[in-house]
Amino acid sequence: MAARTMLPVHAAPTCSVAGAAEIVGSKWTVLLVHDLSEGPRRFTALERSCEGISPRTLAERLRWLETEGIVVRHSYAESPPRVEYALTPKGQALLPVVREMRRFGHDWLGCGVHET
Amino acid sequence: MAARTMLPVHAAPTCSVAGAAEIVGSKWTVLLVHDLSEGPRRFTALERSCEGISPRTLAERLRWLETEGIVVRHSYAESPPRVEYALTPKGQALLPVVREMRRFGHDWLGCGVHET
DNA sequence: CAGTATCCTCAAAGATACTG
DNA sequence: CAGTATCTTTGAGGATACTG
């Protein structure tokens, strides 16, 4: 897919499925939620687990997820600086979707057998 | 989201979630599966229920879903011509994902309350 | 470490018109 | 009815380099 419009977000989609699709409709979004489901993660950790994402895209996605209320950013004024991202309750509400996606991938795409 | 690459499909994604995201990662795909979950539908019917999709895009999406084995096309040599699209077992396996998406949309996006 | 700043590519998909 | 043919826009997101 391509130039899908990822951002209208508050245009109140016609149906709940379409609304969820706006959010789920990105490989990165889903992957990030999946990663964060195991606990808070730092920028670099997410960068590593999302094979091939660029820092630009990662920062953008995280910012977007934050405005969607799916992720929270916690910044600790330490040295070296530490920032962690975590799921909000809304973000956690997305986990059943991710779970079913994983099941589907496992059952029908013949992959992910050994993964979490 | 935008110019997301929707088609690598057989590049065997790293994990099952990513694999499913390749499929679910389009508003249209999900909407079409959702529509077809109620039974076979004709081109024009799908065109109507997918508010705003162009015939070009619809035809393309359907073709893609067909090659993915998610949808079957049945063409009846009548006059006027009739073509119907239906979900395959693989396509039906996607329904739990759609169901969870709908639940999420309903619970957190405040929409879809009266819809199927 | 956790990002920004720039530049650029490229494919999804809209609009419109036409056809077997 | 069920699409195809063109043409064009658009914007996500990759690459790379730099910074508080």
Side-chain angles (χ1 to χ4, degrees), chain A residues 1-6 14-17 20 25-26 30 93-94 101-102 104 108 115, chain B residues 1-6 14-17 20 25-26 30 93-94 101-102 104 108 115:
Chain A
M1 160 181 338
R4 174 180 323 124
T5 161
M6 196 70 241
T14 348
C15 86
S16 44
V17 176
S26 157
V30 165
L94 233 24
M101 286 175 69
R102 181 164 59 241
F104 176 84
W108 295 88
E115 334 223 353
Chain B
M1 172 173 332
R4 176 180 323 126
T5 160
M6 196 70 238
T14 347
C15 85
S16 44
V17 176
S26 158
V30 165
L94 234 23
M101 287 175 68
R102 181 164 59 241
F104 176 84
W108 295 88
E115 332 221 354

PDB file of all heavy atoms in Angstrom, chain A residues 1-6 14-17 20 25-26 30 93-94 101-102 104 108 115, chain B residues 1-6 14-17 20 25-26 30 93-94 101-102 104 108 115:
ATOM      1  N   MET A   1       0.853  -1.183   0.000  1.00  0.00           N
ATOM      2  CA  MET A   1       0.000   0.000   0.000  1.00  0.00           C
ATOM      3  C   MET A   1       0.862   1.196   0.000  1.00  0.00           C
ATOM      4  O   MET A   1       2.012   1.137   0.276  1.00  0.00           O
ATOM      5  CB  MET A   1      -0.756  -0.041   1.257  1.00  0.00           C
ATOM      6  CG  MET A   1      -1.308   1.188   1.682  1.00  0.00           C
ATOM      7  SD  MET A   1      -2.027   0.626   3.139  1.00  0.00           S
ATOM      8  CE  MET A   1      -2.152  -1.074   2.735  1.00  0.00           C
ATOM      9  N   ALA A   2       0.231   2.289  -0.239  1.00  0.00           N
ATOM     10  CA  ALA A   2       1.127   3.425  -0.318  1.00  0.00           C
ATOM     11  C   ALA A   2       0.453   4.605   0.278  1.00  0.00           C
ATOM     12  O   ALA A   2      -0.411   4.501   1.122  1.00  0.00           O
ATOM     13  CB  ALA A   2       1.440   3.720  -1.760  1.00  0.00           C
ATOM     14  N   ALA A   3       0.864   5.723  -0.198  1.00  0.00           N
ATOM     15  CA  ALA A   3       0.334   6.988   0.278  1.00  0.00           C
ATOM     16  C   ALA A   3      -1.035   6.874   0.902  1.00  0.00           C
ATOM     17  O   ALA A   3      -1.950   7.566   0.548  1.00  0.00           O
ATOM     18  CB  ALA A   3       0.311   7.982  -0.862  1.00  0.00           C
ATOM     19  N   ARG A   4      -1.115   6.025   1.872  1.00  0.00           N
ATOM     20  CA  ARG A   4      -2.393   5.951   2.544  1.00  0.00           C
ATOM     21  C   ARG A   4      -2.448   7.125   3.471  1.00  0.00           C
ATOM     22  O   ARG A   4      -1.465   7.518   4.060  1.00  0.00           O
ATOM     23  CB  ARG A   4      -2.464   4.686   3.372  1.00  0.00           C
ATOM     24  CG  ARG A   4      -3.729   4.651   4.195  1.00  0.00           C
ATOM     25  CD  ARG A   4      -3.659   3.385   4.923  1.00  0.00           C
ATOM     26  NE  ARG A   4      -3.057   2.444   3.997  1.00  0.00           N
ATOM     27  CZ  ARG A   4      -1.977   1.780   4.281  1.00  0.00           C
ATOM     28  NH1 ARG A   4      -1.409   1.890   5.429  1.00  0.00           N
ATOM     29  NH2 ARG A   4      -1.470   0.989   3.425  1.00  0.00           N
ATOM     30  N   THR A   5      -3.582   7.687   3.617  1.00  0.00           N
ATOM     31  CA  THR A   5      -3.673   8.818   4.510  1.00  0.00           C
ATOM     32  C   THR A   5      -3.742   8.313   5.935  1.00  0.00           C
ATOM     33  O   THR A   5      -4.711   7.707   6.353  1.00  0.00           O
ATOM     34  CB  THR A   5      -4.905   9.663   4.198  1.00  0.00           C
ATOM     35  OG1 THR A   5      -5.176  10.448   5.332  1.00  0.00           O
ATOM     36  CG2 THR A   5      -6.095   8.789   3.873  1.00  0.00           C
ATOM     37  N   MET A   6      -2.707   8.560   6.639  1.00  0.00           N
ATOM     38  CA  MET A   6      -2.589   8.007   7.967  1.00  0.00           C
ATOM     39  C   MET A   6      -3.090   8.960   9.028  1.00  0.00           C
ATOM     40  O   MET A   6      -3.207   8.616  10.178  1.00  0.00           O
ATOM     41  CB  MET A   6      -1.113   7.766   8.219  1.00  0.00           C
ATOM     42  CG  MET A   6      -0.844   6.864   9.375  1.00  0.00           C
ATOM     43  SD  MET A   6      -1.337   5.211   8.989  1.00  0.00           S
ATOM     44  CE  MET A   6      -2.558   4.906  10.220  1.00  0.00           C
ATOM     45  N   THR A  14     -16.326   6.940   9.149  1.00  0.00           N
ATOM     46  CA  THR A  14     -17.677   6.432   9.014  1.00  0.00           C
ATOM     47  C   THR A  14     -17.980   5.249   9.901  1.00  0.00           C
ATOM     48  O   THR A  14     -19.064   5.122  10.430  1.00  0.00           O
ATOM     49  CB  THR A  14     -17.926   5.964   7.566  1.00  0.00           C
ATOM     50  OG1 THR A  14     -16.856   6.423   6.754  1.00  0.00           O
ATOM     51  CG2 THR A  14     -19.241   6.445   7.077  1.00  0.00           C
ATOM     52  N   CYS A  15     -17.050   4.341  10.028  1.00  0.00           N
ATOM     53  CA  CYS A  15     -17.335   3.183  10.855  1.00  0.00           C
ATOM     54  C   CYS A  15     -16.149   2.838  11.712  1.00  0.00           C
ATOM     55  O   CYS A  15     -15.031   3.252  11.460  1.00  0.00           O
ATOM     56  CB  CYS A  15     -17.794   2.003  10.012  1.00  0.00           C
ATOM     57  SG  CYS A  15     -16.469   1.002   9.367  1.00  0.00           S
ATOM     58  N   SER A  16     -16.410   2.061  12.736  1.00  0.00           N
ATOM     59  CA  SER A  16     -15.368   1.755  13.708  1.00  0.00           C
ATOM     60  C   SER A  16     -14.223   0.974  13.088  1.00  0.00           C
ATOM     61  O   SER A  16     -13.079   1.116  13.494  1.00  0.00           O
ATOM     62  CB  SER A  16     -15.972   0.990  14.868  1.00  0.00           C
ATOM     63  OG  SER A  16     -16.852   0.001  14.393  1.00  0.00           O
ATOM     64  N   VAL A  17     -14.547   0.156  12.104  1.00  0.00           N
ATOM     65  CA  VAL A  17     -13.485  -0.617  11.476  1.00  0.00           C
ATOM     66  C   VAL A  17     -12.553   0.310  10.711  1.00  0.00           C
ATOM     67  O   VAL A  17     -11.332   0.187  10.782  1.00  0.00           O
ATOM     68  CB  VAL A  17     -14.066  -1.695  10.531  1.00  0.00           C
ATOM     69  CG1 VAL A  17     -12.959  -2.421   9.816  1.00  0.00           C
ATOM     70  CG2 VAL A  17     -14.910  -2.675  11.317  1.00  0.00           C
ATOM     71  N   ALA A  20     -10.334   2.149  13.177  1.00  0.00           N
ATOM     72  CA  ALA A  20      -9.223   1.332  13.646  1.00  0.00           C
ATOM     73  C   ALA A  20      -8.194   1.153  12.538  1.00  0.00           C
ATOM     74  O   ALA A  20      -6.994   1.114  12.793  1.00  0.00           O
ATOM     75  CB  ALA A  20      -9.732  -0.020  14.133  1.00  0.00           C
ATOM     76  N   GLY A  25      -3.365   0.763  10.308  1.00  0.00           N
ATOM     77  CA  GLY A  25      -2.957   0.739   8.921  1.00  0.00           C
ATOM     78  C   GLY A  25      -1.513   1.096   8.647  1.00  0.00           C
ATOM     79  O   GLY A  25      -1.192   1.627   7.609  1.00  0.00           O
ATOM     80  N   SER A  26      -0.654   0.802   9.544  1.00  0.00           N
ATOM     81  CA  SER A  26       0.753   1.020   9.269  1.00  0.00           C
ATOM     82  C   SER A  26       1.551  -0.078   9.926  1.00  0.00           C
ATOM     83  O   SER A  26       1.365  -0.388  11.096  1.00  0.00           O
ATOM     84  CB  SER A  26       1.216   2.359   9.836  1.00  0.00           C
ATOM     85  OG  SER A  26       2.617   2.337  10.033  1.00  0.00           O
ATOM     86  N   VAL A  30       1.781  -0.955  14.204  1.00  0.00           N
ATOM     87  CA  VAL A  30       1.490  -2.247  14.789  1.00  0.00           C
ATOM     88  C   VAL A  30       2.731  -2.871  15.420  1.00  0.00           C
ATOM     89  O   VAL A  30       2.691  -3.428  16.514  1.00  0.00           O
ATOM     90  CB  VAL A  30       0.904  -3.176  13.708  1.00  0.00           C
ATOM     91  CG1 VAL A  30       0.928  -4.608  14.170  1.00  0.00           C
ATOM     92  CG2 VAL A  30      -0.499  -2.743  13.380  1.00  0.00           C
ATOM     93  N   ALA A  93      -5.366  -1.407  24.635  1.00  0.00           N
ATOM     94  CA  ALA A  93      -6.626  -1.901  24.064  1.00  0.00           C
ATOM     95  C   ALA A  93      -6.419  -2.385  22.633  1.00  0.00           C
ATOM     96  O   ALA A  93      -7.273  -3.048  22.051  1.00  0.00           O
ATOM     97  CB  ALA A  93      -7.684  -0.806  24.099  1.00  0.00           C
ATOM     98  N   LEU A  94      -5.283  -2.014  22.087  1.00  0.00           N
ATOM     99  CA  LEU A  94      -4.973  -2.429  20.724  1.00  0.00           C
ATOM    100  C   LEU A  94      -4.376  -3.838  20.697  1.00  0.00           C
ATOM    101  O   LEU A  94      -4.306  -4.477  19.640  1.00  0.00           O
ATOM    102  CB  LEU A  94      -3.950  -1.434  20.165  1.00  0.00           C
ATOM    103  CG  LEU A  94      -4.151  -0.706  18.846  1.00  0.00           C
ATOM    104  CD1 LEU A  94      -5.609  -0.596  18.454  1.00  0.00           C
ATOM    105  CD2 LEU A  94      -3.491   0.655  18.930  1.00  0.00           C
ATOM    106  N   MET A 101      -3.791 -10.573  14.817  1.00  0.00           N
ATOM    107  CA  MET A 101      -2.941 -10.463  13.632  1.00  0.00           C
ATOM    108  C   MET A 101      -1.825 -11.493  13.690  1.00  0.00           C
ATOM    109  O   MET A 101      -1.482 -12.112  12.687  1.00  0.00           O
ATOM    110  CB  MET A 101      -2.362  -9.054  13.533  1.00  0.00           C
ATOM    111  CG  MET A 101      -3.389  -8.035  13.085  1.00  0.00           C
ATOM    112  SD  MET A 101      -2.734  -6.349  13.113  1.00  0.00           S
ATOM    113  CE  MET A 101      -1.551  -6.441  11.780  1.00  0.00           C
ATOM    114  N   ARG A 102      -1.277 -11.659  14.865  1.00  0.00           N
ATOM    115  CA  ARG A 102      -0.200 -12.640  14.989  1.00  0.00           C
ATOM    116  C   ARG A 102      -0.723 -14.041  14.726  1.00  0.00           C
ATOM    117  O   ARG A 102      -0.104 -14.833  14.034  1.00  0.00           O
ATOM    118  CB  ARG A 102       0.458 -12.573  16.359  1.00  0.00           C
ATOM    119  CG  ARG A 102       1.598 -13.576  16.463  1.00  0.00           C
ATOM    120  CD  ARG A 102       2.521 -13.311  17.631  1.00  0.00           C
ATOM    121  NE  ARG A 102       1.793 -13.339  18.872  1.00  0.00           N
ATOM    122  CZ  ARG A 102       1.691 -12.308  19.710  1.00  0.00           C
ATOM    123  NH1 ARG A 102       2.272 -11.164  19.409  1.00  0.00           N
ATOM    124  NH2 ARG A 102       1.010 -12.415  20.816  1.00  0.00           N
ATOM    125  N   PHE A 104      -3.207 -14.871  12.887  1.00  0.00           N
ATOM    126  CA  PHE A 104      -3.422 -15.008  11.446  1.00  0.00           C
ATOM    127  C   PHE A 104      -2.096 -15.233  10.715  1.00  0.00           C
ATOM    128  O   PHE A 104      -1.982 -16.118   9.877  1.00  0.00           O
ATOM    129  CB  PHE A 104      -4.113 -13.760  10.894  1.00  0.00           C
ATOM    130  CG  PHE A 104      -4.277 -13.784   9.403  1.00  0.00           C
ATOM    131  CD1 PHE A 104      -5.352 -14.441   8.830  1.00  0.00           C
ATOM    132  CD2 PHE A 104      -3.342 -13.183   8.572  1.00  0.00           C
ATOM    133  CE1 PHE A 104      -5.498 -14.501   7.447  1.00  0.00           C
ATOM    134  CE2 PHE A 104      -3.487 -13.231   7.189  1.00  0.00           C
ATOM    135  CZ  PHE A 104      -4.561 -13.886   6.633  1.00  0.00           C
ATOM    136  N   TRP A 108      -1.594 -18.602   8.666  1.00  0.00           N
ATOM    137  CA  TRP A 108      -1.766 -18.538   7.217  1.00  0.00           C
ATOM    138  C   TRP A 108      -0.586 -18.007   6.451  1.00  0.00           C
ATOM    139  O   TRP A 108      -0.569 -18.036   5.229  1.00  0.00           O
ATOM    140  CB  TRP A 108      -2.994 -17.700   6.874  1.00  0.00           C
ATOM    141  CG  TRP A 108      -4.243 -18.349   7.351  1.00  0.00           C
ATOM    142  CD1 TRP A 108      -4.815 -18.207   8.588  1.00  0.00           C
ATOM    143  CD2 TRP A 108      -5.075 -19.267   6.633  1.00  0.00           C
ATOM    144  NE1 TRP A 108      -5.947 -18.969   8.672  1.00  0.00           N
ATOM    145  CE2 TRP A 108      -6.136 -19.621   7.480  1.00  0.00           C
ATOM    146  CE3 TRP A 108      -5.013 -19.813   5.345  1.00  0.00           C
ATOM    147  CZ2 TRP A 108      -7.135 -20.514   7.088  1.00  0.00           C
ATOM    148  CZ3 TRP A 108      -6.012 -20.681   4.953  1.00  0.00           C
ATOM    149  CH2 TRP A 108      -7.053 -21.031   5.822  1.00  0.00           C
ATOM    150  N   GLU A 115       8.326 -16.857  17.325  1.00  0.00           N
ATOM    151  CA  GLU A 115       8.411 -15.526  17.902  1.00  0.00           C
ATOM    152  C   GLU A 115       7.376 -15.296  18.979  1.00  0.00           C
ATOM    153  O   GLU A 115       6.456 -16.063  19.154  1.00  0.00           O
ATOM    154  CB  GLU A 115       8.229 -14.479  16.801  1.00  0.00           C
ATOM    155  CG  GLU A 115       8.643 -15.046  15.457  1.00  0.00           C
ATOM    156  CD  GLU A 115       9.436 -14.055  14.673  1.00  0.00           C
ATOM    157  OE1 GLU A 115       9.537 -12.917  15.131  1.00  0.00           O
ATOM    158  OE2 GLU A 115       9.957 -14.429  13.617  1.00  0.00           O
TER     159      GLU A 115
ATOM    160  N   MET B   1      -1.089   7.168   7.045  1.00  0.00           N
ATOM    161  CA  MET B   1       0.046   6.478   6.456  1.00  0.00           C
ATOM    162  C   MET B   1       0.070   6.764   5.003  1.00  0.00           C
ATOM    163  O   MET B   1      -0.896   7.154   4.421  1.00  0.00           O
ATOM    164  CB  MET B   1      -0.236   5.045   6.602  1.00  0.00           C
ATOM    165  CG  MET B   1       0.675   4.202   5.941  1.00  0.00           C
ATOM    166  SD  MET B   1       0.055   2.749   6.583  1.00  0.00           S
ATOM    167  CE  MET B   1      -0.580   3.400   8.066  1.00  0.00           C
ATOM    168  N   ALA B   2       1.168   6.470   4.427  1.00  0.00           N
ATOM    169  CA  ALA B   2       1.188   6.838   3.029  1.00  0.00           C
ATOM    170  C   ALA B   2       1.861   5.760   2.243  1.00  0.00           C
ATOM    171  O   ALA B   2       1.930   4.626   2.647  1.00  0.00           O
ATOM    172  CB  ALA B   2       1.961   8.100   2.852  1.00  0.00           C
ATOM    173  N   ALA B   3       2.367   6.165   1.131  1.00  0.00           N
ATOM    174  CA  ALA B   3       3.056   5.254   0.242  1.00  0.00           C
ATOM    175  C   ALA B   3       3.687   4.070   0.948  1.00  0.00           C
ATOM    176  O   ALA B   3       4.849   3.799   0.813  1.00  0.00           O
ATOM    177  CB  ALA B   3       4.102   5.996  -0.553  1.00  0.00           C
ATOM    178  N   ARG B   4       2.889   3.367   1.672  1.00  0.00           N
ATOM    179  CA  ARG B   4       3.425   2.186   2.317  1.00  0.00           C
ATOM    180  C   ARG B   4       3.504   1.132   1.249  1.00  0.00           C
ATOM    181  O   ARG B   4       2.667   1.028   0.375  1.00  0.00           O
ATOM    182  CB  ARG B   4       2.480   1.715   3.395  1.00  0.00           C
ATOM    183  CG  ARG B   4       2.974   0.439   4.008  1.00  0.00           C
ATOM    184  CD  ARG B   4       1.972   0.100   5.027  1.00  0.00           C
ATOM    185  NE  ARG B   4       1.566   1.376   5.606  1.00  0.00           N
ATOM    186  CZ  ARG B   4       0.325   1.749   5.674  1.00  0.00           C
ATOM    187  NH1 ARG B   4      -0.608   0.971   5.255  1.00  0.00           N
ATOM    188  NH2 ARG B   4       0.024   2.897   6.165  1.00  0.00           N
ATOM    189  N   THR B   5       4.507   0.352   1.309  1.00  0.00           N
ATOM    190  CA  THR B   5       4.609  -0.683   0.308  1.00  0.00           C
ATOM    191  C   THR B   5       3.678  -1.819   0.687  1.00  0.00           C
ATOM    192  O   THR B   5       3.869  -2.497   1.673  1.00  0.00           O
ATOM    193  CB  THR B   5       6.039  -1.210   0.202  1.00  0.00           C
ATOM    194  OG1 THR B   5       5.987  -2.465  -0.415  1.00  0.00           O
ATOM    195  CG2 THR B   5       6.667  -1.336   1.559  1.00  0.00           C
ATOM    196  N   MET B   6       2.649  -1.968  -0.103  1.00  0.00           N
ATOM    197  CA  MET B   6       1.600  -2.913   0.221  1.00  0.00           C
ATOM    198  C   MET B   6       1.841  -4.264  -0.395  1.00  0.00           C
ATOM    199  O   MET B   6       1.126  -5.202  -0.140  1.00  0.00           O
ATOM    200  CB  MET B   6       0.304  -2.360  -0.341  1.00  0.00           C
ATOM    201  CG  MET B   6      -0.923  -3.017   0.221  1.00  0.00           C
ATOM    202  SD  MET B   6      -1.133  -2.569   1.913  1.00  0.00           S
ATOM    203  CE  MET B   6      -1.114  -4.161   2.698  1.00  0.00           C
ATOM    204  N   THR B  14       9.552 -10.735   8.474  1.00  0.00           N
ATOM    205  CA  THR B  14      10.272 -11.215   9.636  1.00  0.00           C
ATOM    206  C   THR B  14       9.380 -11.866  10.677  1.00  0.00           C
ATOM    207  O   THR B  14       9.758 -12.843  11.291  1.00  0.00           O
ATOM    208  CB  THR B  14      10.983 -10.052  10.329  1.00  0.00           C
ATOM    209  OG1 THR B  14      10.964  -8.924   9.460  1.00  0.00           O
ATOM    210  CG2 THR B  14      12.379 -10.432  10.689  1.00  0.00           C
ATOM    211  N   CYS B  15       8.232 -11.279  10.921  1.00  0.00           N
ATOM    212  CA  CYS B  15       7.396 -11.869  11.955  1.00  0.00           C
ATOM    213  C   CYS B  15       5.949 -11.884  11.516  1.00  0.00           C
ATOM    214  O   CYS B  15       5.547 -11.189  10.586  1.00  0.00           O
ATOM    215  CB  CYS B  15       7.568 -11.132  13.287  1.00  0.00           C
ATOM    216  SG  CYS B  15       6.533  -9.691  13.473  1.00  0.00           S
ATOM    217  N   SER B  16       5.186 -12.707  12.197  1.00  0.00           N
ATOM    218  CA  SER B  16       3.812 -12.912  11.787  1.00  0.00           C
ATOM    219  C   SER B  16       2.989 -11.635  11.879  1.00  0.00           C
ATOM    220  O   SER B  16       2.069 -11.427  11.098  1.00  0.00           O
ATOM    221  CB  SER B  16       3.179 -14.000  12.649  1.00  0.00           C
ATOM    222  OG  SER B  16       3.521 -13.808  13.999  1.00  0.00           O
ATOM    223  N   VAL B  17       3.326 -10.781  12.842  1.00  0.00           N
ATOM    224  CA  VAL B  17       2.585  -9.543  12.973  1.00  0.00           C
ATOM    225  C   VAL B  17       2.838  -8.644  11.773  1.00  0.00           C
ATOM    226  O   VAL B  17       1.926  -8.060  11.200  1.00  0.00           O
ATOM    227  CB  VAL B  17       2.952  -8.803  14.282  1.00  0.00           C
ATOM    228  CG1 VAL B  17       2.247  -7.472  14.354  1.00  0.00           C
ATOM    229  CG2 VAL B  17       2.576  -9.650  15.479  1.00  0.00           C
ATOM    230  N   ALA B  20       0.930  -9.997   8.792  1.00  0.00           N
ATOM    231  CA  ALA B  20      -0.482  -9.635   8.809  1.00  0.00           C
ATOM    232  C   ALA B  20      -0.654  -8.157   8.510  1.00  0.00           C
ATOM    233  O   ALA B  20      -1.619  -7.754   7.864  1.00  0.00           O
ATOM    234  CB  ALA B  20      -1.086  -9.983  10.162  1.00  0.00           C
ATOM    235  N   GLY B  25      -2.871  -3.774   6.460  1.00  0.00           N
ATOM    236  CA  GLY B  25      -2.403  -2.397   6.415  1.00  0.00           C
ATOM    237  C   GLY B  25      -3.036  -1.517   5.365  1.00  0.00           C
ATOM    238  O   GLY B  25      -2.423  -0.588   4.872  1.00  0.00           O
ATOM    239  N   SER B  26      -4.251  -1.764   5.024  1.00  0.00           N
ATOM    240  CA  SER B  26      -4.934  -0.880   4.100  1.00  0.00           C
ATOM    241  C   SER B  26      -6.385  -0.785   4.500  1.00  0.00           C
ATOM    242  O   SER B  26      -7.049  -1.779   4.737  1.00  0.00           O
ATOM    243  CB  SER B  26      -4.853  -1.417   2.673  1.00  0.00           C
ATOM    244  OG  SER B  26      -5.896  -0.869   1.896  1.00  0.00           O
ATOM    245  N   VAL B  30      -9.289  -4.021   4.634  1.00  0.00           N
ATOM    246  CA  VAL B  30     -10.070  -4.354   5.814  1.00  0.00           C
ATOM    247  C   VAL B  30     -11.559  -4.110   5.587  1.00  0.00           C
ATOM    248  O   VAL B  30     -12.405  -4.917   5.963  1.00  0.00           O
ATOM    249  CB  VAL B  30      -9.556  -3.529   7.006  1.00  0.00           C
ATOM    250  CG1 VAL B  30     -10.547  -3.571   8.144  1.00  0.00           C
ATOM    251  CG2 VAL B  30      -8.216  -4.058   7.446  1.00  0.00           C
ATOM    252  N   ALA B  93     -10.414 -16.214   7.890  1.00  0.00           N
ATOM    253  CA  ALA B  93      -9.512 -16.254   9.042  1.00  0.00           C
ATOM    254  C   ALA B  93      -9.116 -14.847   9.476  1.00  0.00           C
ATOM    255  O   ALA B  93      -8.563 -14.640  10.547  1.00  0.00           O
ATOM    256  CB  ALA B  93      -8.268 -17.074   8.704  1.00  0.00           C
ATOM    257  N   LEU B  94      -9.389 -13.905   8.601  1.00  0.00           N
ATOM    258  CA  LEU B  94      -9.069 -12.511   8.905  1.00  0.00           C
ATOM    259  C   LEU B  94     -10.160 -11.863   9.749  1.00  0.00           C
ATOM    260  O   LEU B  94      -9.959 -10.799  10.348  1.00  0.00           O
ATOM    261  CB  LEU B  94      -8.945 -11.762   7.578  1.00  0.00           C
ATOM    262  CG  LEU B  94      -7.704 -10.953   7.209  1.00  0.00           C
ATOM    263  CD1 LEU B  94      -6.464 -11.387   7.950  1.00  0.00           C
ATOM    264  CD2 LEU B  94      -7.504 -11.001   5.707  1.00  0.00           C
ATOM    265  N   MET B 101     -10.746  -5.120  15.636  1.00  0.00           N
ATOM    266  CA  MET B 101     -10.610  -3.736  15.183  1.00  0.00           C
ATOM    267  C   MET B 101     -11.898  -2.977  15.425  1.00  0.00           C
ATOM    268  O   MET B 101     -11.897  -1.828  15.854  1.00  0.00           O
ATOM    269  CB  MET B 101     -10.227  -3.689  13.699  1.00  0.00           C
ATOM    270  CG  MET B 101      -8.789  -4.097  13.455  1.00  0.00           C
ATOM    271  SD  MET B 101      -8.404  -4.180  11.700  1.00  0.00           S
ATOM    272  CE  MET B 101      -8.495  -2.449  11.255  1.00  0.00           C
ATOM    273  N   ARG B 102     -12.999  -3.639  15.147  1.00  0.00           N
ATOM    274  CA  ARG B 102     -14.282  -2.981  15.357  1.00  0.00           C
ATOM    275  C   ARG B 102     -14.501  -2.695  16.837  1.00  0.00           C
ATOM    276  O   ARG B 102     -14.951  -1.627  17.222  1.00  0.00           O
ATOM    277  CB  ARG B 102     -15.431  -3.816  14.811  1.00  0.00           C
ATOM    278  CG  ARG B 102     -16.772  -3.092  15.008  1.00  0.00           C
ATOM    279  CD  ARG B 102     -17.883  -3.667  14.167  1.00  0.00           C
ATOM    280  NE  ARG B 102     -18.101  -5.054  14.460  1.00  0.00           N
ATOM    281  CZ  ARG B 102     -17.969  -6.036  13.586  1.00  0.00           C
ATOM    282  NH1 ARG B 102     -17.613  -5.762  12.362  1.00  0.00           N
ATOM    283  NH2 ARG B 102     -18.186  -7.273  13.935  1.00  0.00           N
ATOM    284  N   PHE B 104     -12.258  -2.230  19.069  1.00  0.00           N
ATOM    285  CA  PHE B 104     -11.392  -1.112  19.446  1.00  0.00           C
ATOM    286  C   PHE B 104     -11.991   0.220  18.992  1.00  0.00           C
ATOM    287  O   PHE B 104     -12.050   1.181  19.746  1.00  0.00           O
ATOM    288  CB  PHE B 104      -9.994  -1.284  18.842  1.00  0.00           C
ATOM    289  CG  PHE B 104      -9.086  -0.125  19.109  1.00  0.00           C
ATOM    290  CD1 PHE B 104      -8.375  -0.043  20.299  1.00  0.00           C
ATOM    291  CD2 PHE B 104      -8.955   0.899  18.178  1.00  0.00           C
ATOM    292  CE1 PHE B 104      -7.546   1.042  20.556  1.00  0.00           C
ATOM    293  CE2 PHE B 104      -8.136   1.992  18.430  1.00  0.00           C
ATOM    294  CZ  PHE B 104      -7.429   2.057  19.625  1.00  0.00           C
ATOM    295  N   TRP B 108     -12.910   2.946  21.731  1.00  0.00           N
ATOM    296  CA  TRP B 108     -11.965   4.047  21.915  1.00  0.00           C
ATOM    297  C   TRP B 108     -12.071   5.164  20.910  1.00  0.00           C
ATOM    298  O   TRP B 108     -11.434   6.203  21.078  1.00  0.00           O
ATOM    299  CB  TRP B 108     -10.534   3.510  21.921  1.00  0.00           C
ATOM    300  CG  TRP B 108     -10.283   2.626  23.081  1.00  0.00           C
ATOM    301  CD1 TRP B 108     -10.501   1.273  23.152  1.00  0.00           C
ATOM    302  CD2 TRP B 108      -9.796   3.012  24.371  1.00  0.00           C
ATOM    303  NE1 TRP B 108     -10.176   0.808  24.397  1.00  0.00           N
ATOM    304  CE2 TRP B 108      -9.730   1.855  25.164  1.00  0.00           C
ATOM    305  CE3 TRP B 108      -9.401   4.247  24.910  1.00  0.00           C
ATOM    306  CZ2 TRP B 108      -9.294   1.887  26.487  1.00  0.00           C
ATOM    307  CZ3 TRP B 108      -8.960   4.268  26.224  1.00  0.00           C
ATOM    308  CH2 TRP B 108      -8.916   3.102  27.000  1.00  0.00           C
ATOM    309  N   GLU B 115     -23.366   0.422  13.857  1.00  0.00           N
ATOM    310  CA  GLU B 115     -23.044  -0.279  12.633  1.00  0.00           C
ATOM    311  C   GLU B 115     -22.781  -1.745  12.871  1.00  0.00           C
ATOM    312  O   GLU B 115     -22.626  -2.203  13.986  1.00  0.00           O
ATOM    313  CB  GLU B 115     -21.805   0.349  12.004  1.00  0.00           C
ATOM    314  CG  GLU B 115     -21.706   1.801  12.392  1.00  0.00           C
ATOM    315  CD  GLU B 115     -21.276   2.652  11.253  1.00  0.00           C
ATOM    316  OE1 GLU B 115     -20.947   2.096  10.210  1.00  0.00           O
ATOM    317  OE2 GLU B 115     -21.275   3.873  11.402  1.00  0.00           O
TER     318      GLU B 115
END
